[in-house]
Amino acid sequence: MAKLIDGKTIAKDIRTQIKKEIEELKQKYSTFKPHLSIIQVGEREDSTVYVRQKERAAKEAGIEFTLHKKADSITENELLTSIRELNDNPSIHGFLVQLPLPSHINKKKVTETISPKKDVDGFHAINLGNLAKRDCEALFLPCTPKGIIELLKRSDIEIARKNAVVIGRSDIVGFPVFTLLSRNDATVTLCHSKTENLPEIVKTADILIVAIGKAEFVKGDWIKPGAVVIDVGTNAIKDPSKQSGTRWVGDVEFSSASTVASYISPVPGGVGPMTVAMLLQNTLESAKRFLQEARNRNFSLLSLKLLSPVPSDIDIASAQIPKFIKTLAEELGLAPNEYDLYGQYKAKVNLSVLERLKSRKDGKYIVITGITPTPLGEGKSTTTMGIAQALGAHLGKPTFACVRQPSQGPTFGIKGGAAGGGYSQVIPMDEFNLHLTGDIHAVVAANNLLAAAIDARMFHEKTQSDRALFNRLCPAKNGVRSFAPVMFKRLQKLGINKTNPDDLTSEEVQNFVRLDIDPDTITWQRVIDTSDRFLRKITIGQNPTEKDQTRVTGFDIAVASECMAVLALSTSLADMRERLGRMVVASSFDKGEGIKSITADDLGVGGALTVLMKDAIKPNLMQTLEGTPVFVHAGPFANIAHGNSSILADKIALKLVGIDEGEDREESGYVVTEAGFGADIGMEKFFNIKCRISGLIPDAVVLVATVRALKMHGGGPDVVPGKPLPEVYLKENLEMLEKGCENLIKHIQNAKMFGLPVIVAINHFITDSPAETELICKKAIEAGAEYAVPSSHWEFGGKGALELAKSIVKVTNSSTESTKEKFKFLYDLNKSIEEKIEVIAKEMYGADGIQLNDKAKEKIQRYTDQGFAKLPICMAKTHLSLSHDPTLKAVPKGFTVPIRDIRASVGAGFLYPLLGEMQTMPGLPTRPCFYDVDLDTETGRVYGLF
């Protein structure tokens, strides 16, 4: 008699091994949760039985299981949509659609819609095709064929050099088994119901696999004595002796075959249990593959073709062919539902990534700042890109650069683009500098909707009675009044706890509908993303229909809008909604009850603003010239706002380059984020505003300096955009440079006040002499910098910033969590408004003190009365000097900072004192950059951006 191949026992052993491996992996990685999902269409009894078996087996093995039951009437499109949802769900590692399906649904289309990466049944054409190709490996083997091979191997049955016959050519069993036996070096014959002389062919088989779907089709006298028989069939035949009236038999006549064969698999209890065990094994392998891919983060890189002299920025950017952003997203481990493509080279990343990766430890966090710059800028963006390229493309560290989106103001005005420069840029450079994904347009739309709401509300309050206003704000629909959801915020502010508009008293109605906005207190202006000096002050309401409601107002550049500052400082969509709603736009007339602040939610527009900006909150994914990832997000003005890219971009990037349990901290990647203007502005606001809200603490500060700027601080002539540099900046002058290093030393001292290590990056120009570079390094180290490194990333890309990147690695690898514990804010939020302003002026700028004019004093009192005194301070001052006066270079002494006004960005979450005259709407120079910008109408290529 043949020896039974006990599939039940073997499957049980395999399931035990799977359970043990899952438990071990869960101990090492707490987030490791293999997840199997099944879609079952209809209520077929046999399908329900099979699904229950799989569910029970999965749960016993420690695999999470989800069943999605669909009605028989489901349309094909609805089913395909459900499949795509599971494809996109990163928590699902494998799923299948239980067969058979209703006749109106195309099985092939269903099978091909399942992602090959989650096709644990192994039925997808890609997996079957790769199985058939000798030089390819399928991600998944079909469960039954895989189980058959496992049965043979675990029964110590040799496959190599044996003659094997497979009866049945289905994609589910016959064809894959034929291929697997061949791969295991058997000589295989594939037969089917129409094969001639089948008994004679079967007689040649050392190993016989039967999957033809016909009860007891193969007889014992067909079988070669001593052959191994694997019976895949499951057929119900009538049997009055059974209580059910039927019994299950295979495709082989067991009674006769078992007397000839050496081994035989029974039915039931042979192949069936192995199919379920292999499904669990495929699910486990898929979960392990997803885990490994998330940990690997291997980026394909782009090589640079370095030219000398270095071409223009746009020529360099146009010569590089970016990789598809979908490829980069996959390299980052993003699931398809975690990003939205905006063309081939841009994508928005969804905030859901933060929830999925919440248990991952953040990567290392580096903030890039600079000394007090010349009007040309000193290359912080270029340095940011160079460092990111060096860390990512040359040192192999997972690295993200995070930068702001540039405004069209400087792009077409004085500075030009802000994508970096030379061989250290974001690409595509033209898309980066222009509309990108429309975030700035969304800010413009939201800002101007709020501006329109302010003037419209004043108009309607002026021209209508309380009752008329109330009837229009809360109209009766089918005889029933109701409050819009946003109105409850206004009611709560007034202390009215009623939910039915008809229950309000006349006094409550008046308080509810009358905002009584004092036009002289309106701080909200309209915005446009173009430098246009003639919009700085305008008169509105001149048409007769506005009933003489004219007032003087103006336009700001779009990135100066508080909506943009809110976007950058929001930590979630819900947080952005709250911040937009609480933006203060004006104050009410004082009627003896105190002046009340008027918010966007008082105007009922907070929700609409959020709707306009709901996509803008998602960071924009791009890449550097060398193919490393970049987040471009938000663009708050660096003078009146905080001048940093978004918290959400930094948070998501830190998770994407972070480490999981069991990984060494040295394996974590880097997020290189840039703070606008010099360290006295961008860095100070980064720490005291952005870090307070985000809760993030950097590992190090990189301070960018140039010989050019330091010579200017040492007494060099003015640097004027559009004019050639004076000769002193092109020749060695150590005396002037040493004097100017005072500015560098002050900025190093400022950074050290926050308790973090400082690395000085000397952005190298070809006119810099070795002696000049050596002098800066010496002064920087003496001032307390850990390293001072010249970097030629503009000329050589990441390769040129390699030593700078290595210094960052050294500093961050030697630091520990205790290093971050040394971090401290510059001031306590509980200090008075005046005290906080004074601390910044004295400590950061080196001032003797501050001088508040009467308007600033009145604002301090008002904001204190209104409960805004504990907000951080965002100083609005010139970026061209440590002081408030742009003509004072190096490290000014003996000066007092005049505070002419203080304004509130309550939604963003700060107060901003105005130091001197601050323009929130730039003007165009005599020769704007737009003279050079044009389009090749034949190729569609943009040129002239720089």
Side-chain angles (χ1 to χ4, degrees):
M1 290 293 292
K3 185 176 180 179
L4 290 181
I5 299 176
D6 189 353
K8 217 170 185 179
T9 300
I10 293 173
K12 184 178 180 182
D13 289 343
I14 292 172
R15 285 157 55 180
T16 300
Q17 291 172 357
I18 291 171
K19 182 177 182 179
K20 181 181 177 183
E21 186 173 359
I22 289 173
E23 288 173 349
E24 289 173 350
L25 286 167
K26 281 183 176 179
Q27 286 180 358
K28 192 173 182 180
Y29 310 106
S30 62
T31 58
F32 183 74
K33 296 176 182 178
H35 194 155
L36 172 66
S37 189
I38 294 179
I39 296 176
Q40 181 185 351
V41 180
E43 297 288 345
R44 281 181 57 121
E45 186 176 347
D46 55 348
S47 292
T48 300
V49 170
Y50 295 145
V51 168
R52 284 176 183 166
Q53 289 175 350
K54 295 167 185 175
E55 178 179 8
R56 184 168 60 250
K59 290 181 176 178
E60 287 175 357
I63 295 175
E64 294 190 8
F65 181 88
T66 306
L67 174 62
H68 303 270
K69 298 196 77 169
K70 307 295 181 182
D72 263 321
S73 59
I74 189 172
T75 66
E76 184 175 274
N77 187 59
E78 288 171 338
L79 179 57
L80 296 180
T81 298
S82 296
I83 291 171
R84 293 186 186 104
E85 288 173 355
L86 293 178
N87 283 340
D88 292 345
N89 187 337
S91 70
I92 303 294
H93 301 109
F95 72 95
L96 59 94
V97 177
Q98 185 67 39
L99 302 177
L101 292 168
S103 59
H104 67 279
I105 292 177
N106 185 319
K107 185 183 99 173
K108 181 178 182 297
K109 191 178 288 188
V110 166
T111 302
E112 298 307 298
T113 302
I114 296 173
S115 168
K117 294 182 67 174
K118 296 188 177 185
D119 171 38
V120 286
D121 252 345
F123 294 165
H124 195 284
I126 289 177
N127 284 320
L128 288 174
N130 283 333
L131 173 62
K133 295 179 69 175
R134 285 188 58 82
D135 58 345
C136 293
E137 291 294 330
L139 289 171
F140 299 102
L141 299 178
C143 297
T144 299
K146 183 180 181 182
I148 290 169
I149 300 300
E150 197 68 24
L151 278 178
L152 295 172
K153 290 182 175 179
R154 288 185 179 247
S155 299
D156 296 323
I157 295 167
E158 187 177 356
I159 301 174
R161 296 176 298 279
K162 300 295 183 179
N163 289 324
V165 173
V166 177
I167 304 178
R169 54 183 173 178
S170 73
D171 288 339
I172 295 176
V173 180
F175 171 73
V177 166
F178 167 83
T179 307
L180 288 172
L181 287 167
S182 179
R183 283 191 169 211
N184 281 274
D185 299 322
T187 301
V188 192
T189 303
L190 181 63
C191 303
H192 45 82
S193 60
K194 294 180 175 59
T195 301
E196 293 185 359
N197 303 318
L198 186 56
E200 287 83 353
I201 297 172
V202 170
K203 202 77 171 180
T204 67
D206 300 311
I207 300 172
L208 177 63
I209 314 293
V210 187
I212 200 167
K214 295 183 178 182
E216 300 183 328
F217 178 74
V218 175
K219 309 302 181 183
D221 58 6
W222 294 15
I223 299 170
K224 178 181 178 180
V228 176
V229 178
I230 303 294
D231 191 350
V232 185
T234 51
N235 307 285
I237 63 172
K238 292 181 179 181
D239 187 344
S241 67
K242 298 292 183 182
Q243 186 176 356
S244 63
T246 60
R247 65 184 173 90
W248 293 96
V249 298
D251 292 348
V252 178
E253 188 180 71
F254 183 84
S255 58
S256 60
S258 60
T259 64
V260 182
S262 60
Y263 287 86
I264 191 168
S265 64
V267 177
V271 174
M274 292 297 293
T275 300
V276 176
M278 293 303 100
L279 176 65
L280 303 185
Q281 193 173 82
N282 280 350
T283 303
L284 172 57
E285 291 305 316
S286 180
K288 288 162 61 178
R289 190 181 296 122
F290 272 91
L291 175 65
Q292 192 61 40
E293 287 176 356
R295 289 162 60 86
N296 281 347
R297 296 186 292 270
N298 292 323
F299 298 103
S300 57
L301 302 173
L302 305 176
S303 60
L304 294 178
K305 296 177 183 177
L306 302 174
L307 299 177
S308 183
V310 176
S312 69
D313 292 349
I314 188 65
D315 285 342
I316 291 172
S318 298
Q320 183 64 289
I321 300 175
K323 56 187 171 183
F324 291 131
I325 205 68
K326 185 175 185 290
T327 300
L328 181 58
E330 290 170 349
E331 290 170 349
L332 286 165
L334 293 172
N337 68 329
E338 291 178 333
Y339 60 92
D340 303 310
L341 297 176
Y342 279 67
Q344 293 182 323
Y345 305 119
K346 307 184 296 291
K348 276 192 166 294
V349 175
N350 297 327
L351 308 188
S352 58
V353 176
L354 286 172
E355 177 61 25
R356 177 171 66 86
L357 300 179
K358 62 183 178 182
S359 62
R360 180 179 284 181
K361 190 173 182 181
D362 288 348
K364 295 160 188 169
Y365 196 29
I366 310 298
V367 60
I368 310 296
T369 185
I371 62 169
T372 306
T374 68
L376 302 177
E378 307 318 305
K380 289 195 311 301
S381 298
T382 307
T383 304
T384 299
M385 293 306 128
I387 291 172
Q389 291 176 187
L391 286 168
H394 296 270
L395 295 182
K397 306 288 185 182
T399 304
F400 245 106
C402 291
V403 294
R404 290 178 295 165
Q405 178 183 351
S407 165
Q408 285 182 190
T411 296
F412 292 122
I414 294 177
K415 289 182 66 177
Y423 287 102
S424 295
Q425 295 187 56
V426 184
I427 55 173
M429 183 259 224
D430 54 339
E431 295 182 29
F432 172 90
N433 282 307
L434 299 176
H435 305 283
L436 199 57
T437 58
D439 292 352
I440 292 181
H441 302 315
V443 166
V444 170
N447 183 100
N448 293 346
L449 176 62
L450 180 51
I454 295 168
D455 290 302
R457 185 58 173 262
M458 289 194 297
F459 171 81
H460 291 302
E461 286 189 28
K462 181 180 180 181
T463 58
Q464 297 180 51
S465 66
D466 294 346
R467 180 51 59 179
L469 277 170
F470 188 61
N471 288 341
R472 286 173 172 80
L473 289 171
C474 300
K477 295 181 180 179
N478 298 322
V480 179
R481 290 183 191 274
S482 62
F483 291 117
V486 70
M487 292 178 175
F488 288 105
K489 293 180 179 291
R490 171 77 180 159
L491 292 167
Q492 184 180 16
K493 183 177 179 179
L494 296 171
I496 300 173
N497 298 317
K498 298 174 181 177
T499 58
N500 186 345
D502 293 328
D503 292 341
L504 267 62
T505 65
S506 297
E507 183 181 358
E508 289 171 337
V509 166
Q510 183 182 59
N511 289 334
F512 174 70
V513 301
R514 296 270 171 209
L515 300 184
D516 287 326
I517 296 171
D518 181 351
D520 293 336
T521 67
I522 296 174
T523 56
W524 199 263
Q525 301 212 108
R526 288 161 174 81
V527 298
I528 186 173
D529 196 34
T530 304
S531 294
D532 190 345
R533 67 178 70 245
F534 291 96
L535 291 178
R536 289 171 179 168
K537 185 171 286 190
I538 62 171
T539 302
I540 62 171
Q542 295 191 36
N543 199 63
T545 57
E546 274 58 76
K547 314 289 187 183
D548 297 324
Q549 190 174 304
T550 60
R551 68 181 181 91
V552 175
T553 181
F555 273 78
D556 296 329
I557 193 77
V559 292
S561 169
E562 187 178 349
C563 291
M564 180 62 86
V566 165
L567 177 66
L569 292 174
S570 295
T571 56
S572 67
L573 186 60
D575 182 47
M576 185 174 76
R577 169 64 185 89
E578 290 302 310
R579 289 177 181 275
L580 290 171
R582 68 172 182 251
M583 291 188 302
V584 173
V585 299
S587 297
S588 65
F589 285 107
D590 188 355
K591 295 183 177 180
E593 300 174 356
I595 300 172
K596 296 180 177 66
S597 58
I598 306 300
T599 68
D601 273 340
D602 286 326
L603 288 157
V605 74
L609 304 184
T610 310
V611 169
L612 286 170
M613 293 177 58
K614 67 181 178 63
D615 291 324
I617 197 172
K618 303 171 187 176
N620 303 296
L621 179 63
M622 298 187 77
Q623 62 192 287
T624 66
L625 278 168
E626 297 189 58
T628 57
V630 180
F631 270 147
V632 184
H633 199 214
F637 224 52
N639 282 349
I640 66 166
H642 59 93
N644 285 269
S645 61
S646 78
I647 286 174
L648 283 168
D650 288 359
K651 279 180 170 282
I652 295 173
L654 284 165
K655 291 299 181 188
L656 289 172
V657 303
I659 53 174
D660 294 305
E661 295 167 280
E663 291 184 288
D664 191 279
R665 186 173 183 271
E666 290 189 10
E667 297 177 35
S668 73
Y670 291 82
V671 171
V672 184
T673 192
E674 179 190 353
F677 288 146
D680 55 314
I681 300 179
M683 182 195 71
E684 182 269 312
K685 295 174 181 180
F686 174 85
F687 287 132
N688 286 316
I689 298 174
K690 185 176 178 180
C691 288
R692 281 187 198 271
I693 295 170
S694 71
L696 301 173
I697 300 173
D699 292 89
V701 176
V702 174
L703 184 68
V704 179
T706 61
V707 169
R708 176 181 69 193
L710 292 173
K711 283 182 177 177
M712 180 193 70
H713 289 296
D718 289 342
V719 175
V720 181
K723 291 186 178 181
L725 280 173
E727 191 173 347
V728 68
Y729 294 111
L730 307 176
K731 291 185 177 181
E732 183 178 290
N733 189 322
L734 296 178
E735 182 181 355
M736 182 180 291
L737 179 65
E738 183 169 13
K739 185 177 179 183
C741 280
E742 293 178 6
N743 185 269
L744 170 66
I745 293 167
K746 174 59 177 168
H747 282 296
I748 293 172
Q749 293 169 346
N750 283 356
K752 299 287 281 186
M753 283 185 197
F754 294 92
L756 297 177
V758 178
I759 299 164
V760 172
I762 304 168
N763 186 12
H764 181 73
F765 287 49
I766 56 175
T767 53
D768 300 346
S769 74
E772 288 175 326
T773 300
E774 185 178 344
L775 176 61
I776 297 172
C777 290
K778 177 176 178 291
K779 291 291 184 181
I781 298 300
E782 288 175 354
E786 269 65 26
Y787 293 95
V789 186
S791 184
S792 52
H793 43 274
W794 179 82
E795 188 175 4
F796 299 108
K799 180 181 177 182
L802 200 50
E803 293 306 312
L804 176 58
K806 287 178 180 177
S807 70
I808 293 171
V809 172
K810 288 177 185 176
V811 167
T812 55
N813 280 348
S814 62
S815 66
T816 61
E817 288 302 317
S818 61
T819 304
K820 288 191 175 185
E821 290 175 4
K822 296 177 183 177
F823 174 79
K824 56 186 178 182
F825 295 114
L826 192 63
Y827 51 80
D828 188 328
L829 289 180
N830 290 316
K831 286 181 177 289
S832 69
I833 296 172
E834 182 176 352
E835 287 174 321
K836 286 181 282 195
I837 296 171
E838 190 171 44
V839 167
I840 296 171
K842 287 182 175 180
E843 299 294 339
M844 286 288 107
Y845 313 153
D848 290 342
I850 61 173
Q851 183 176 13
L852 300 164
N853 68 10
D854 291 341
K855 187 175 185 180
K857 290 177 182 177
E858 185 272 326
K859 288 289 189 70
I860 286 177
Q861 187 59 52
R862 179 189 300 180
Y863 294 147
T864 301
D865 292 343
Q866 292 177 338
F868 304 148
K870 292 188 178 182
L871 292 176
I873 301 299
C874 185
M875 300 284 261
K877 80 172 191 74
T878 179
H879 63 289
L880 297 174
S881 171
L882 275 166
S883 74
H884 62 285
D885 183 348
T887 65
L888 301 179
K889 304 301 181 184
V891 183
K893 304 289 185 185
F895 66 95
T896 299
V897 175
I899 310 298
R900 68 176 182 85
D901 193 7
I902 302 173
R903 296 177 185 171
S905 287
V906 178
F910 53 74
L911 304 176
Y912 61 99
L914 300 180
L915 285 57
E917 292 297 322
M918 295 301 304
Q919 292 293 354
T920 56
M921 170 56 82
L924 289 172
T926 305
R927 190 191 186 284
C929 294
F930 61 63
Y931 273 91
D932 301 307
V933 180
D934 213 323
L935 185 75
D936 186 322
T937 56
E938 292 186 2
T939 65
R941 178 185 168 187
V942 175
Y943 60 87
L945 285 172
F946 63 93

